[in-house]
Amino acid sequence: MRVPSVRLSVYPPVIWALLVASPSLQAQAFVELGGQGMVLARDPALLAGGVHGAVRTTLRTRFMATLSGGSLDGDLVGRVEGLGHFLLNPLDPSGVGLYGGGGLGLEFLEGNRGYIVLLLGLEGSPGGRSGWFLEGGWGGGPRLSAGWRWRFRPEGWPRRR
């Protein structure tokens, strides 16, 4: 198994993730943290797992950064994504929510590769404290991602009545 050399800096997403996790930011914004698994069904397929952090900037928008690592044809690979989501029913505390999104993905292997990511997703309890999600789309090949999100809602954030 070869370990890739990273020519581009991964520090900006790491710093952004630390800011998202900070208590002072959580007191002001709707913050989400989670874990996920991802499959890119191409030849060769990419299997990866990782973490993500997100901020809901308005009622229906979420900006997310993901950091994943996995295997691509027996080689170690890292993947960073910056995504924006538009949520259709963001306040539902117990139902299923639909969202669409897009952004950029960057893979770190022998030659770094960038991709445009487009996706549709379903999530459980989009207005609740936590919930599952399932995404399908495209971003360097057909993309399937699933995981869990924990949500930290500040006081004063709208709630479904």
Side-chain angles (χ1 to χ4, degrees):
M1 183 183 306
R2 292 177 292 180
V3 177
S5 63
V6 178
R7 293 184 190 137
L8 298 177
S9 173
V10 295
Y11 294 117
V14 170
I15 291 168
W16 189 89
L18 291 173
L19 290 173
V20 167
S22 76
S24 61
L25 182 60
Q26 291 178 14
Q28 302 171 25
F30 195 127
V31 174
E32 299 180 1
L33 301 172
Q36 68 183 39
M38 178 179 14
V39 175
L40 288 172
R42 60 186 189 205
D43 190 18
L46 169 65
L47 304 172
V51 295
H52 63 262
V55 175
R56 289 195 191 179
T57 55
T58 67
L59 187 61
R60 295 189 182 274
T61 58
R62 171 172 50 216
F63 290 96
M64 174 177 292
T66 67
L67 182 59
S68 302
S71 175
L72 179 67
D73 200 26
D75 294 331
L76 220 53
V77 64
R79 184 171 171 113
V80 176
E81 292 181 341
L83 303 170
H85 293 165
F86 181 79
L87 294 76
L88 293 182
N89 54 341
L91 298 179
D92 193 348
S94 60
V96 175
L98 177 66
Y99 61 91
L104 299 175
L106 181 62
E107 287 179 14
F108 302 100
L109 192 59
E110 290 174 353
N112 300 323
R113 295 181 225 142
Y115 300 101
I116 294 175
V117 178
L118 299 173
L119 60 91
L120 285 176
L122 291 173
E123 65 184 324
S125 307
R129 295 180 75 99
S130 68
W132 55 268
F133 70 92
L134 179 63
E135 297 173 348
W138 190 270
R143 178 186 184 280
L144 183 63
S145 180
W148 195 267
R149 290 190 181 114
W150 290 271
R151 302 181 185 98
F152 305 92
R153 178 198 318 257
E155 290 299 321
W157 191 266
R159 295 184 185 273
R160 187 172 187 180
R161 306 218 188 282

